[in-house]
Each structure stands twice: as C-alpha cells, then as structure tokens.
Amino acid sequence: MKQTVKKKYRLKISAATENLEIIRDFINRLAKKAGFNDEQVDQIELSVDEACTNVIKHAYKYDARKMIEIDVFIDPEKIEIMITDRGNGFDLSKLAKPKLDEFIKHARPGGLGIHLMKKLMDKVKFNIEPGKKTQVSLIKYRSQKGSKK
Amino acid sequence: MNGFQVRHVAKDDVSILYLSGFLDAHTVPQFENALEEVIKKKRYKIVVNFKDLDYISSAGLGVFMGFIEEVRANGGDIKLSNLSKRVYKVFDLLGFPALFEIYDDEQEACSKF
C-alpha cells in the first residue's frame, strides 16, 4: 500500500488585525514550500486572510486576548488549512451570496470574505459547534484535477 | 509594524490618493481616514492610484463601498487607476468592474471627470 506523506504545521496567534501580516507570511511560505505556483499562493494567502479577518471581527469582536488556531496539512495531492476559533459560531444559511449593488447599502458582515474564499479555493468546509468552536477548512489541490483554477 | 501608506495630492479639482503597501483589515482605518478628510473638504472627484499597492483583501474593497454613495450623491465619483494584476483580480472576483470605473493610468482616470 502506498504511504501518503502528510506534513503538519500549526500557528496559534492572538486575534489581532496587526497579526494578519504574520499569518499571511506563514501561509505564503508554506504554500510556496509545498510547490504551489504564484497565483495559487496568492489565492491561498488571501483566503486565509479573509477567514481570519472574519474570526477577528465577527467571532471575537476585536478581542485580541482570544486566539486563532491555524493548522496546515500538506500532502502530495493538496494543501488544507483549518482555521479554528472558540467563538459562538454563526448560522451559515443566513449568509446569502452578496449582491454587490445591494451590499453597498446593506453591508452583510463577513459575506464578502466567504464569497471570496469559495471563489479562490477548491473546497471550503464549515464545522460549526454552536457555543464551542467554529472551524473553516480551506482546500486547494495541486493539479487541475478537482481544481477550479 | 505599518505596511501601508496613503498620500493625498490635489490636482485642480481632482483629489488623487496614492496607496502603497498592503490594504487589509488592519490598515483599512488609515485609508478610511484619508478618504474622510478629502470628502470633508467637499472634494468629491477622487482618483485612487494603486501603483504601489501590493495586496488588498475584501476589507479594503469594503471602504470603496462605504463611501461611493455619498460621493456620487454629491456629483462626484471614485475612479481607480494603475491596479497591478494581482490587485485587479480581487476587484474582478467581487464584480467591482461593473460598479467602478477602472483605468490603466491616472491621467486617463482624471480626464474622465
């Protein structure tokens, strides 16, 4: 049986907007090291920024004492980034796809970020345990097979 | 750590805002303040030059949506110029080219007022 080599990395960091740059650098380095091309690296980096921005703004409401956990799994097929917060969670069904012209008048918190993540990554999965934790998994495949880009 | 700068230059009745570095949820307040300053002076013809901006997230794009109504209601506009391919892609993914005028260079953007 073929053995799959899976590399794991972890960053646990205070939920402050000033740390977004550090988070982006962390993801950028790992995605590059894993062999993704420049465009894919940009897409992965922006998606993780959007997910963490949503955690800081909406799950933790700018409370920098709270922590964001970022787990990265790299295998020959894909990169998966799992972002975990210990906030209250949210109702995914209430986050409709934003219509830009309406968005100008009625900003829907976090909606644009999730919309971007879905466009940039091959898979976006949410695991919401209300009152306990919320996990967002962002997956990008290396090859065109199963990939949007 | 501060990786973002915004500079305002008035060219006749057009205000040009030059952005550099990265525009994310952390640096957005600086950009909002700069736009507010310009609008407070009742200068509603605005060009944002992105030549030296390396990175933008949806937080940065949200700023444009927050101000555009007021600016247009006063007979002005916010036009964008000199976007790098990387930055343009983010605007494009969110459908901004349908809502904002985007030009290759600043001169062209200014001439459209």
Side-chain angles (χ1 to χ4, degrees), chain B residues 9-79:
Chain B
V9 173
K11 279 190 185 169
D12 300 321
D13 60 344
V14 180
S15 284
I16 301 166
L17 291 172
Y18 294 91
L19 312 186
S20 64
F22 58 81
L23 188 51
D24 64 5
H26 188 59
T27 57
V28 144
Q30 274 176 265
F31 180 41
E32 280 175 334
N33 291 342
L35 259 178
E36 253 167 24
E37 283 297 312
V38 168
I39 291 167
K40 241 189 244 168
K41 291 175 190 157
K42 299 193 184 304
R43 296 181 62 91
Y44 299 112
K45 294 179 181 176
I46 300 164
V47 169
V48 179
N49 185 325
F50 286 79
K51 189 169 79 69
D52 296 314
L53 194 82
D54 301 318
Y55 175 85
I56 193 165
S57 69
S58 71
L61 273 71
V63 178
F64 292 92
M65 299 192 293
F67 286 95
I68 193 64
E69 274 207 328
E70 183 185 352
V71 168
R72 286 183 181 157
N74 284 283
D77 196 14
I78 301 175
K79 301 184 195 297

Coordinates of all heavy atoms in Angstrom, one line a residue, chain B residues 9-79:
Chain B
V9 N -2.8 64.0 -3.0 CA -2.3 65.1 -3.9 C -3.5 65.7 -4.6 O -4.3 65.0 -5.2 CB -1.3 64.6 -4.9 CG1 -0.9 65.7 -5.9 CG2 0.0 64.1 -4.2
A10 N -3.7 67.1 -4.5 CA -4.8 67.7 -5.2 C -4.3 68.2 -6.6 O -3.3 68.9 -6.7 CB -5.3 68.9 -4.4
K11 N -5.0 67.7 -7.6 CA -4.6 68.2 -9.0 C -5.9 68.9 -9.5 O -6.9 68.3 -9.9 CB -4.3 67.1 -9.9 CG -2.8 66.6 -9.7 CD -2.4 65.6 -10.8 CE -1.0 65.1 -10.6 NZ -0.7 64.0 -11.4
D12 N -5.9 70.3 -9.5 CA -7.1 71.1 -9.8 C -8.2 70.6 -8.9 O -8.0 70.5 -7.7 CB -7.4 71.0 -11.2 CG -6.3 71.5 -12.1 OD1 -5.6 72.5 -11.7 OD2 -6.0 70.9 -13.2
D13 N -9.4 70.2 -9.5 CA -10.5 69.8 -8.6 C -10.5 68.3 -8.3 O -11.5 67.8 -7.8 CB -11.8 70.3 -9.1 CG -12.1 69.8 -10.5 OD1 -11.2 69.3 -11.2 OD2 -13.3 69.9 -11.0
V14 N -9.5 67.6 -8.8 CA -9.5 66.1 -8.6 C -8.5 65.8 -7.4 O -7.4 66.4 -7.4 CB -9.0 65.4 -9.8 CG1 -9.0 63.9 -9.6 CG2 -10.0 65.7 -11.0
S15 N -8.9 65.0 -6.5 CA -8.1 64.5 -5.4 C -7.5 63.2 -5.8 O -8.3 62.3 -6.1 CB -8.9 64.4 -4.1 OG -9.1 65.7 -3.6
I16 N -6.2 63.1 -5.7 CA -5.6 61.7 -6.0 C -5.1 61.1 -4.7 O -4.3 61.8 -4.0 CB -4.5 61.9 -7.1 CG1 -5.1 62.5 -8.3 CG2 -3.9 60.5 -7.4 CD1 -4.2 63.0 -9.3
L17 N -5.4 59.9 -4.5 CA -4.9 59.2 -3.3 C -4.0 58.1 -3.8 O -4.4 57.2 -4.5 CB -6.1 58.6 -2.5 CG -7.0 59.6 -1.7 CD1 -8.2 58.9 -1.1 CD2 -6.2 60.4 -0.6
Y18 N -2.7 58.2 -3.3 CA -1.7 57.2 -3.7 C -1.6 56.2 -2.6 O -1.3 56.6 -1.5 CB -0.4 57.9 -4.0 CG -0.4 58.8 -5.2 CD1 -0.6 60.2 -5.0 CD2 -0.1 58.3 -6.4 CE1 -0.6 61.0 -6.1 CE2 -0.1 59.2 -7.5 CZ -0.3 60.5 -7.4 OH -0.4 61.3 -8.5
L19 N -1.9 54.9 -2.9 CA -1.8 53.9 -1.9 C -0.5 53.1 -2.1 O -0.1 52.8 -3.2 CB -3.0 52.9 -2.0 CG -4.4 53.5 -2.1 CD1 -5.4 52.4 -2.0 CD2 -4.6 54.5 -1.0
S20 N 0.1 52.7 -1.0 CA 1.3 51.8 -1.1 C 1.3 50.8 0.0 O 0.7 51.0 1.1 CB 2.6 52.6 -1.1 OG 2.8 53.2 0.1
G21 N 1.9 49.6 -0.2 CA 2.0 48.5 0.8 C 0.8 47.6 0.7 O 0.4 47.2 -0.4
F22 N 0.2 47.3 1.8 CA -0.9 46.3 1.8 C -2.1 46.9 2.5 O -2.0 47.6 3.5 CB -0.5 45.0 2.4 CG 0.0 45.0 3.8 CD1 -0.9 45.1 4.9 CD2 1.3 45.0 4.1 CE1 -0.5 45.1 6.2 CE2 1.8 45.1 5.4 CZ 0.9 45.1 6.5
L23 N -3.3 46.7 1.9 CA -4.6 47.2 2.5 C -5.4 46.0 3.0 O -5.9 45.2 2.2 CB -5.3 47.9 1.4 CG -6.6 48.7 1.8 CD1 -6.3 49.6 3.0 CD2 -7.0 49.6 0.6
D24 N -5.3 45.8 4.3 CA -6.1 44.7 4.9 C -6.9 45.2 6.1 O -7.0 46.4 6.3 CB -5.2 43.5 5.3 CG -4.2 43.9 6.5 OD1 -4.3 45.1 7.0 OD2 -3.3 43.1 6.8
A25 N -7.5 44.3 6.9 CA -8.4 44.8 8.0 C -7.6 45.7 9.0 O -8.2 46.5 9.7 CB -9.0 43.6 8.7
H26 N -6.3 45.5 9.0 CA -5.5 46.3 10.0 C -5.2 47.7 9.5 O -5.3 48.7 10.2 CB -4.2 45.6 10.3 CG -3.4 46.3 11.4 ND1 -3.9 46.4 12.6 CD2 -2.2 46.8 11.4 CE1 -3.0 47.0 13.4 NE2 -2.0 47.3 12.6
T27 N -5.0 47.8 8.2 CA -4.6 49.2 7.6 C -5.8 49.9 7.1 O -5.6 51.1 6.7 CB -3.5 49.0 6.6 OG1 -4.0 48.1 5.5 CG2 -2.2 48.4 7.1
V28 N -6.9 49.3 7.0 CA -8.1 50.0 6.4 C -8.5 51.3 7.1 O -8.8 52.2 6.4 CB -9.3 49.0 6.4 CG1 -10.6 49.6 6.7 CG2 -9.4 48.2 5.1
P29 N -8.4 51.4 8.5 CA -8.7 52.7 9.1 C -7.9 53.9 8.6 O -8.5 55.0 8.4 CB -8.5 52.4 10.6 CG -8.6 51.0 10.7 CD -8.1 50.4 9.5
Q30 N -6.7 53.6 8.2 CA -5.9 54.7 7.7 C -6.4 55.2 6.3 O -6.4 56.4 6.1 CB -4.4 54.2 7.4 CG -3.5 54.3 8.5 CD -2.2 53.6 8.2 OE1 -1.9 52.4 8.4 NE2 -1.3 54.4 7.5
F31 N -6.8 54.3 5.5 CA -7.4 54.6 4.2 C -8.8 55.3 4.4 O -9.1 56.3 3.7 CB -7.5 53.4 3.3 CG -8.1 53.6 2.0 CD1 -7.7 54.7 1.2 CD2 -9.0 52.7 1.4 CE1 -8.3 54.9 -0.1 CE2 -9.5 52.9 0.1 CZ -9.2 54.0 -0.6
E32 N -9.6 54.8 5.3 CA -10.9 55.4 5.6 C -10.7 56.9 6.1 O -11.4 57.8 5.6 CB -11.6 54.6 6.7 CG -12.3 53.4 6.2 CD -12.9 52.6 7.3 OE1 -12.4 52.6 8.5 OE2 -13.8 51.8 7.0
N33 N -9.7 57.1 7.0 CA -9.5 58.4 7.4 C -9.1 59.4 6.3 O -9.5 60.5 6.3 CB -8.4 58.4 8.5 CG -8.8 57.8 9.8 OD1 -10.0 57.6 10.0 ND2 -7.9 57.3 10.6
A34 N -8.2 58.9 5.4 CA -7.7 59.7 4.3 C -8.9 60.1 3.4 O -9.0 61.2 3.0 CB -6.7 59.0 3.5
L35 N -9.8 59.1 3.1 CA -10.9 59.4 2.3 C -11.9 60.4 2.9 O -12.4 61.3 2.3 CB -11.7 58.1 2.0 CG -11.4 57.4 0.6 CD1 -12.2 56.1 0.5 CD2 -11.8 58.3 -0.6
E36 N -12.1 60.2 4.3 CA -13.0 61.1 5.0 C -12.4 62.5 5.0 O -13.2 63.4 4.8 CB -13.0 60.6 6.5 CG -14.3 59.9 6.8 CD -14.3 59.2 8.2 OE1 -13.4 59.6 9.0 OE2 -15.1 58.3 8.3
E37 N -11.1 62.7 5.1 CA -10.5 64.0 5.1 C -10.8 64.7 3.8 O -11.2 65.9 3.7 CB -9.0 63.9 5.2 CG -8.5 63.6 6.6 CD -8.9 64.8 7.6 OE1 -8.6 65.9 7.2 OE2 -9.4 64.5 8.6
V38 N -10.7 64.0 2.7 CA -10.9 64.5 1.3 C -12.4 64.9 1.2 O -12.7 66.0 0.7 CB -10.5 63.5 0.3 CG1 -11.0 63.9 -1.1 CG2 -9.0 63.3 0.3
I39 N -13.3 64.0 1.6 CA -14.7 64.3 1.5 C -15.2 65.4 2.4 O -16.1 66.2 2.0 CB -15.5 63.0 1.8 CG1 -15.2 62.0 0.6 CG2 -17.0 63.2 1.9 CD1 -15.7 60.5 0.9
K40 N -14.6 65.5 3.6 CA -14.9 66.6 4.5 C -14.6 68.0 3.8 O -15.3 69.0 4.1 CB -14.0 66.5 5.7 CG -14.8 66.4 7.0 CD -13.8 66.5 8.2 CE -13.8 65.2 9.0 NZ -12.7 65.1 10.0
K41 N -13.6 68.0 3.0 CA -13.3 69.3 2.2 C -14.2 69.5 1.0 O -13.9 70.3 0.2 CB -11.8 69.2 1.8 CG -10.8 69.3 3.0 CD -9.4 69.1 2.5 CE -8.4 69.0 3.6 NZ -7.2 68.3 3.2
K42 N -15.2 68.6 0.9 CA -16.1 68.7 -0.2 C -15.5 68.5 -1.5 O -15.8 69.1 -2.6 CB -17.0 70.0 -0.2 CG -17.8 70.2 1.1 CD -18.8 71.2 1.0 CE -19.5 71.5 2.3 NZ -20.2 70.3 2.8
R43 N -14.4 67.7 -1.5 CA -13.8 67.3 -2.8 C -14.3 65.9 -3.2 O -14.0 64.9 -2.5 CB -12.3 67.3 -2.6 CG -11.7 68.7 -2.3 CD -10.2 68.6 -2.2 NE -9.5 68.2 -3.4 CZ -9.1 69.1 -4.4 NH1 -9.3 70.4 -4.2 NH2 -8.6 68.6 -5.5
Y44 N -15.2 65.9 -4.2 CA -15.8 64.7 -4.5 C -15.3 64.0 -5.8 O -15.8 62.9 -6.1 CB -17.4 64.9 -4.6 CG -18.0 65.4 -3.3 CD1 -18.5 66.7 -3.2 CD2 -18.0 64.6 -2.2 CE1 -19.0 67.2 -2.0 CE2 -18.6 65.0 -1.0 CZ -19.1 66.3 -0.9 OH -19.6 66.8 0.3
K45 N -14.4 64.6 -6.4 CA -13.8 64.0 -7.6 C -12.5 63.3 -7.2 O -11.5 64.0 -6.9 CB -13.5 65.0 -8.7 CG -14.8 65.6 -9.3 CD -14.5 66.6 -10.3 CE -15.8 67.2 -10.8 NZ -15.5 68.3 -11.8
I46 N -12.6 62.0 -7.0 CA -11.4 61.3 -6.4 C -10.9 60.2 -7.3 O -11.7 59.4 -7.9 CB -11.9 60.6 -5.1 CG1 -12.4 61.7 -4.1 CG2 -10.8 59.8 -4.4 CD1 -13.3 61.2 -3.0
V47 N -9.6 60.1 -7.4 CA -8.9 59.0 -8.2 C -8.0 58.3 -7.1 O -7.3 59.0 -6.4 CB -8.1 59.5 -9.3 CG1 -7.2 58.4 -9.9 CG2 -9.0 60.1 -10.4
V48 N -8.2 57.0 -7.1 CA -7.3 56.2 -6.2 C -6.3 55.5 -7.1 O -6.6 54.7 -7.9 CB -8.1 55.2 -5.3 CG1 -7.1 54.4 -4.4 CG2 -9.1 56.0 -4.5
N49 N -5.0 55.9 -6.9 CA -3.9 55.3 -7.7 C -3.3 54.1 -6.9 O -2.8 54.3 -5.8 CB -2.9 56.4 -8.0 CG -1.8 55.9 -8.9 OD1 -1.4 54.7 -8.8 ND2 -1.3 56.7 -9.7
F50 N -3.4 52.9 -7.5 CA -2.9 51.7 -6.8 C -1.5 51.3 -7.2 O -1.1 50.1 -6.9 CB -3.9 50.5 -7.1 CG -5.2 50.6 -6.5 CD1 -6.2 51.5 -7.0 CD2 -5.5 49.8 -5.4 CE1 -7.5 51.5 -6.4 CE2 -6.8 49.9 -4.8 CZ -7.7 50.7 -5.3
K51 N -0.8 52.1 -7.9 CA 0.5 51.7 -8.4 C 1.4 50.9 -7.5 O 2.0 49.9 -7.8 CB 1.2 52.9 -9.0 CG 2.5 52.6 -9.8 CD 3.0 53.8 -10.5 CE 3.8 54.7 -9.6 NZ 5.1 54.1 -9.1
D52 N 1.5 51.4 -6.2 CA 2.4 50.8 -5.3 C 1.7 49.9 -4.2 O 2.3 49.6 -3.2 CB 3.3 51.9 -4.6 CG 4.1 52.6 -5.6 OD1 4.8 51.9 -6.4 OD2 4.2 53.8 -5.6
L53 N 0.5 49.6 -4.5 CA -0.3 48.7 -3.6 C 0.0 47.3 -4.0 O -0.3 46.8 -5.1 CB -1.8 49.0 -3.5 CG -2.4 48.3 -2.4 CD1 -2.3 49.2 -1.1 CD2 -3.9 48.1 -2.6
D54 N 0.5 46.5 -3.0 CA 0.9 45.1 -3.3 C -0.2 44.1 -3.1 O -0.3 43.0 -3.6 CB 2.1 44.7 -2.5 CG 3.3 45.5 -2.7 OD1 3.5 45.9 -3.9 OD2 4.0 45.9 -1.7
Y55 N -1.1 44.5 -2.2 CA -2.1 43.5 -1.7 C -3.3 44.1 -1.2 O -3.3 45.2 -0.6 CB -1.4 42.7 -0.5 CG -2.3 41.7 0.2 CD1 -2.5 40.4 -0.3 CD2 -3.1 42.1 1.3 CE1 -3.3 39.5 0.3 CE2 -3.9 41.2 1.9 CZ -4.0 39.9 1.4 OH -4.9 39.0 2.0
I56 N -4.5 43.5 -1.5 CA -5.8 44.0 -0.9 C -6.6 42.8 -0.5 O -6.6 41.8 -1.2 CB -6.5 45.0 -1.9 CG1 -7.6 45.7 -1.3 CG2 -7.0 44.2 -3.2 CD1 -8.1 46.9 -2.1
S57 N -7.4 43.0 0.6 CA -8.4 41.9 0.9 C -9.7 42.6 0.8 O -9.9 43.8 0.6 CB -8.1 41.4 2.3 OG -8.4 42.4 3.3
S58 N -10.8 41.8 1.1 CA -12.1 42.4 1.0 C -12.4 43.5 1.9 O -13.3 44.4 1.7 CB -13.2 41.3 1.1 OG -13.3 40.9 2.5
A59 N -11.6 43.6 3.0 CA -11.8 44.7 4.0 C -11.5 46.0 3.3 O -12.1 47.0 3.5 CB -10.9 44.5 5.2
G60 N -10.4 45.9 2.4 CA -10.0 47.1 1.7 C -11.1 47.5 0.6 O -11.4 48.7 0.5
L61 N -11.7 46.5 0.0 CA -12.7 46.8 -1.0 C -13.9 47.4 -0.3 O -14.7 48.2 -0.9 CB -13.0 45.5 -1.8 CG -12.2 45.3 -3.0 CD1 -10.8 44.8 -2.6 CD2 -12.8 44.2 -3.9
G62 N -14.2 47.0 0.9 CA -15.4 47.5 1.6 C -15.3 49.0 1.8 O -16.4 49.6 1.9
V63 N -14.1 49.6 1.9 CA -14.0 51.0 2.1 C -14.7 51.7 0.9 O -15.4 52.7 1.1 CB -12.5 51.4 2.2 CG1 -12.4 53.0 2.3 CG2 -11.9 50.7 3.4
F64 N -14.4 51.2 -0.3 CA -15.0 51.9 -1.5 C -16.5 51.9 -1.5 O -17.2 52.8 -1.8 CB -14.5 51.2 -2.8 CG -13.0 51.4 -3.0 CD1 -12.1 50.5 -2.5 CD2 -12.6 52.6 -3.7 CE1 -10.8 50.7 -2.7 CE2 -11.2 52.8 -3.8 CZ -10.3 51.9 -3.3
M65 N -17.0 50.7 -1.0 CA -18.5 50.6 -1.0 C -19.1 51.5 0.1 O -20.2 52.0 0.0 CB -18.8 49.1 -0.7 CG -18.3 48.3 -1.8 SD -19.0 46.6 -1.8 CE -18.3 46.0 -0.3
G66 N -18.3 51.8 1.1 CA -18.8 52.6 2.2 C -18.9 54.1 1.9 O -19.7 54.8 2.5
F67 N -18.1 54.5 0.9 CA -18.1 55.9 0.5 C -18.7 56.3 -0.8 O -19.1 57.5 -1.0 CB -16.6 56.4 0.5 CG -16.0 56.6 1.9 CD1 -15.3 55.6 2.5 CD2 -16.3 57.7 2.7 CE1 -14.7 55.7 3.7 CE2 -15.7 57.9 3.9 CZ -14.9 56.8 4.5
I68 N -18.9 55.3 -1.7 CA -19.3 55.7 -3.0 C -20.6 56.4 -3.1 O -20.8 57.3 -4.0 CB -19.2 54.4 -4.0 CG1 -19.2 54.8 -5.4 CG2 -20.2 53.4 -3.6 CD1 -18.1 55.7 -5.9
E69 N -21.6 56.0 -2.3 CA -22.9 56.6 -2.4 C -22.9 58.0 -2.1 O -23.4 58.9 -2.9 CB -23.8 55.9 -1.4 CG -24.5 54.6 -1.9 CD -25.8 54.4 -1.2 OE1 -26.0 54.7 0.0 OE2 -26.7 53.8 -1.9
E70 N -22.2 58.4 -1.0 CA -22.1 59.8 -0.6 C -21.4 60.6 -1.7 O -21.8 61.7 -2.1 CB -21.3 59.9 0.7 CG -21.3 61.4 1.2 CD -20.4 61.5 2.5 OE1 -20.0 60.5 3.0 OE2 -20.2 62.6 2.9
V71 N -20.3 60.1 -2.2 CA -19.5 60.8 -3.3 C -20.4 61.0 -4.5 O -20.4 62.1 -5.1 CB -18.3 60.0 -3.6 CG1 -17.6 60.5 -4.8 CG2 -17.3 60.0 -2.4
R72 N -21.1 60.0 -5.0 CA -21.9 60.1 -6.2 C -23.1 61.0 -6.0 O -23.5 61.7 -6.9 CB -22.3 58.7 -6.7 CG -21.1 58.0 -7.3 CD -21.5 56.7 -7.9 NE -20.3 56.0 -8.5 CZ -20.2 54.7 -8.7 NH1 -21.2 53.9 -8.4 NH2 -19.1 54.2 -9.3
A73 N -23.6 61.0 -4.8 CA -24.8 61.8 -4.4 C -24.4 63.3 -4.5 O -25.2 64.2 -4.7 CB -25.3 61.5 -3.1
N74 N -23.1 63.6 -4.4 CA -22.6 65.0 -4.5 C -22.0 65.3 -5.8 O -21.2 66.2 -6.0 CB -21.6 65.2 -3.4 CG -22.3 65.4 -2.0 OD1 -22.9 66.4 -1.7 ND2 -22.3 64.4 -1.2
G75 N -22.4 64.5 -6.8 CA -21.9 64.8 -8.2 C -20.5 64.3 -8.5 O -20.0 64.7 -9.5
G76 N -19.9 63.6 -7.6 CA -18.5 63.1 -7.9 C -18.4 61.7 -8.2 O -19.4 61.0 -8.5
D77 N -17.2 61.1 -8.1 CA -17.0 59.7 -8.3 C -15.7 59.3 -7.7 O -14.8 60.1 -7.4 CB -17.0 59.4 -9.8 CG -17.2 57.9 -10.0 OD1 -17.6 57.1 -9.1 OD2 -17.0 57.4 -11.2
I78 N -15.5 58.0 -7.4 CA -14.2 57.4 -7.1 C -13.8 56.6 -8.2 O -14.5 55.6 -8.5 CB -14.3 56.6 -5.8 CG1 -14.8 57.4 -4.6 CG2 -12.9 56.1 -5.4 CD1 -15.0 56.6 -3.3
K79 N -12.8 57.0 -8.9 CA -12.2 56.2 -10.0 C -10.9 55.5 -9.6 O -10.2 56.1 -8.8 CB -12.1 57.1 -11.3 CG -13.4 57.7 -11.7 CD -13.1 58.5 -13.0 CE -14.3 59.5 -13.3 NZ -15.6 58.9 -13.5

